[in-house]
Amino acid sequence: MNIDFQIGWNAISSYRRLAYTAWHAIAEFIDNSTQSYINNHDALAAAYEAEGKTLDIGIVYNRDNDTFSIADNAMGMDLDDLITALRVGIPPANPHGRSKYGLGMKTAACWIGDKWTVRTTKLGEPVEYSVTVDVRKIEAGNGELEVKPRDAPADKHYTVLEITALNKPWQTRTLGKIRKYLESMYRKDFEDLGLVLRWQSQELGWEGFEGQLLKNRKGEPYYQEFSFDVDGRAVTGWGGILEKGSRTNAGFSMLQNKRVIRGWPDAWRPYAIYGDARNDLINQRLVGEIHLDGFDVSHTKDDILWGNDQESDVETKLKASLGHLISEARQFRKRDIKLDGGPSDGDVDKAVSAFQEELQSDEMIEQIEFEDIPDSEALKMSSQHLAEQVVAREKPSISAKLGRFMINVYLVYDLSPNDPYVVLETASAEDVTIIVNFSHPYVRTQIEGEEGVLNYLRQCIYDAVAEAKARSINRPMEPDTIKLFKDQLLRVPFQILEGEYRAQSGEQDGE
């Protein structure tokens, strides 16, 4: 006896529970657009030349209106293409490209929201088609979709996807991470395809790490390409040594079909090379890209699905191919850790002159003479209210247990510029909430680069931690006490560097 294998309509409801991140869900749509361009390169190249354009993808998320949209000017779809695109699990004509399983657009759209509309017209076809998918109706058993045609110029070509009834709002921190990940994912397309990718109307780009590599005495960067086979599949890429160590930037970006599957800011660190989450020189300095075409990839296209011994074989051969770089990256260089550094006399003189002018400015005098200070109880209530709002909607960017203190730090980008630069809230003597206002005018005009942000965070958090520690002792909170505690905290970065210096010097002595 034979039976038909059937999937119920309510299976579509499971899509909203898939293990997507916002950026990998959005990437499903970008993959379709870029693959459309790749599949129809010649026709689109001629069209773009006539239009004075290039491949353009615009993405907009509106939390207030509860909408998400993505529009491209790739080839577009005719009726047959659209029908195929809406069928679940039907692989595309080219299953070796970025669109692999015939699932991505459907699963990602349902993960983002419960109602979505596709509008599209194909280059050379005088018709635009639109269709709306209502997930709730399909769950209820109504899977019939109405395709609406209308006239369109034959020289137009686009696909627009609009999603409403979103399943959950994306917070400010998520929006920032979406930008970072999309820039990393499509790093090759910016150059190879001339892709213009816009997120929230802002054009994205990728600088890469090749320009940040350490150079030898001849001025040549520590950079090495590699190529080997694993399980009949070609593995290629490059490795290098960062001049300035950064655990955030180090690691390998895994690419397939020139699209990053996993990479910065969450790069792959093969255990055979990087070990178990250490913070040594290798984990701070070895960086690279590895192309893994032909290997299986997860449904959400965020990781490689290794088969048999593939992962260990790749790690072993990668380590052998980059042996010289790995050895060089482990070498201690005095310029990496400067225990006797600091600003030059000239730097100090320039800073003193600039600060002298700042102190004598009308604006500074106005602030010093300002005496309309709110009541201390009012200030406390205001800080408490602000902290409650932030904690209710955000997740801490930094969490750490410091002795008896539990520290949660929130980096907030949508506060008012008039809010304090840092807010301290202590629900109990040991529970410390710190809110850093990244909309403060000082951040927007004075802070640049990683070092600038790091030092600003130190100042804000050290101020708050010193105050929290002073509050916790059973005696009046004196300014000198707070300064003493902060002075001790300001010495911590030097003590860390001193410890690394000794550890690395000890490693060298033992080699």
Side-chain angles (χ1 to χ4, degrees), residues 270-285:
Y271 182 84
I273 296 174
Y274 291 89
D276 188 12
R278 300 189 302 261
N279 193 29
D280 56 9
L281 291 175
I282 287 291
N283 276 274
Q284 296 174 14
R285 303 175 69 189

Side-chain angles (χ1 to χ4, degrees), residues 500-511:
E500 291 179 0
Y501 179 92
R502 289 173 180 168
Q504 292 172 11
S505 297
E507 287 178 5
Q508 280 206 318
D509 292 341
E511 289 179 353

Side-chain angles (χ1 to χ4, degrees), residues 131-425:
V131 60
T132 296
V133 176
D134 190 321
V135 176
R136 298 297 182 180
K137 287 184 178 180
I138 294 175
E139 287 177 3
N142 183 4
E144 186 175 345
L145 303 178
E146 180 184 4
V147 178
K148 299 178 180 179
R150 72 172 187 176
D151 294 340
D155 61 347
K156 296 297 182 182
H157 49 102
Y158 54 81
T159 297
V160 179
L161 173 65
E162 297 174 320
I163 305 177
T164 57
L166 306 188
N167 289 319
K168 61 180 179 180
W170 293 337
Q171 304 300 332
T172 302
R173 186 164 176 261
T174 299
L175 301 182
K177 292 178 73 172
I178 289 171
R179 171 178 177 163
K180 287 182 179 180
Y181 276 96
L182 293 184
E183 287 181 325
S184 177
M185 284 182 183
Y186 295 96
R187 60 181 72 175
K188 299 299 182 184
D189 290 353
F190 295 132
E191 181 176 355
D192 294 352
L193 306 184
L195 171 64
V196 174
L197 179 59
R198 289 171 288 109
W199 164 244
Q200 303 294 66
S201 301
Q202 191 168 19
E203 186 172 340
L204 307 185
W206 176 255
E207 293 184 5
F209 297 111
E210 292 89 334
Q212 302 177 32
L213 299 182
L214 179 71
K215 294 182 174 61
N216 61 22
R217 294 178 180 176
K218 296 180 181 179
E220 301 165 334
Y222 282 94
Y223 171 94
Q224 181 179 336
E225 296 182 353
F226 59 82
S227 177
F228 53 83
D229 290 340
V230 168
D231 204 14
R233 297 165 173 84
V235 179
T236 63
W238 63 269
I241 302 174
L242 290 170
E243 181 175 19
K244 185 175 182 180
S246 168
R247 198 178 193 287
T248 299
N249 292 339
F252 281 83
S253 292
M254 308 164 79
L255 292 88
Q256 191 170 101
N257 296 313
K258 295 187 176 182
R259 194 272 241 182
V260 172
I261 300 299
R262 179 181 176 185
W264 183 91
D266 179 31
W268 177 55
R269 283 182 163 83
Y271 182 84
I273 296 174
Y274 291 89
D276 188 12
R278 300 189 302 261
N279 193 29
D280 56 9
L281 291 175
I282 287 291
N283 276 274
Q284 296 174 14
R285 303 175 69 189
L286 188 65
V287 68
E289 293 180 351
I290 182 167
H291 294 254
L292 296 160
D293 293 345
F295 290 81
D296 288 337
V297 66
S298 64
H299 162 225
T300 50
K301 289 188 277 189
D302 58 358
D303 211 349
I304 296 295
L305 297 179
W306 303 106
N308 298 322
D309 297 323
Q310 288 177 346
E311 184 173 18
S312 61
D313 290 347
V314 168
E315 290 189 12
T316 299
K317 292 189 176 183
L318 181 62
K319 183 176 181 180
S321 298
L322 300 179
H324 171 66
L325 282 184
I326 295 170
S327 176
E328 191 66 36
R330 285 199 179 106
Q331 298 301 312
F332 166 70
R333 283 177 168 76
K334 187 174 181 180
R335 65 176 175 271
D336 290 335
I337 299 178
K338 298 180 180 179
L339 300 182
D340 57 351
S344 67
D345 292 343
D347 290 336
V348 173
D349 290 341
K350 293 176 183 177
V352 167
S353 177
F355 197 63
Q356 177 76 29
E357 292 184 15
E358 189 172 313
L359 279 176
Q360 294 175 333
S361 67
D362 292 339
E363 290 81 3
M364 179 65 75
I365 294 171
E366 181 180 346
Q367 288 297 327
I368 294 298
E369 292 179 345
F370 180 75
E371 296 180 353
D372 187 14
I373 306 299
D375 177 79
S376 60
E377 190 63 27
L379 285 173
K380 181 179 178 181
M381 293 295 293
S382 175
S383 295
Q384 183 178 355
H385 178 67
L386 189 151
E388 289 174 350
Q389 287 184 318
V390 170
V391 171
R393 73 172 192 266
E394 303 277 358
K395 292 183 179 180
S397 300
I398 303 169
S399 294
K401 183 72 173 177
L402 305 182
R404 69 179 186 275
F405 294 103
M406 183 63 213
I407 308 293
N408 287 304
V409 181
Y410 296 79
L411 311 184
V412 186
Y413 296 82
D414 57 358
L415 293 179
S416 166
N418 297 318
D419 285 327
Y421 75 102
V422 64
V423 172
L424 168 68
E425 181 61 30

Side-chain angles (χ1 to χ4, degrees), residues 33-93:
S33 300
T34 52
Q35 191 63 51
S36 173
Y37 172 81
I38 293 168
N39 291 344
N40 301 279
H41 174 269
D42 292 345
L44 285 173
Y48 291 152
E49 184 177 2
E51 297 163 353
K53 296 181 180 179
T54 186
L55 178 61
D56 190 303
I57 303 173
I59 312 164
V60 176
Y61 166 71
N62 191 317
R63 182 162 54 189
D64 294 334
N65 293 338
D66 197 34
T67 60
F68 170 90
S69 67
I70 178 168
D72 71 45
N73 65 341
M75 192 66 177
M77 292 181 279
D78 59 19
L79 183 57
D80 289 339
D81 296 330
L82 181 59
I83 292 172
T84 300
L86 291 172
R87 286 178 174 167
V88 177
I90 305 299

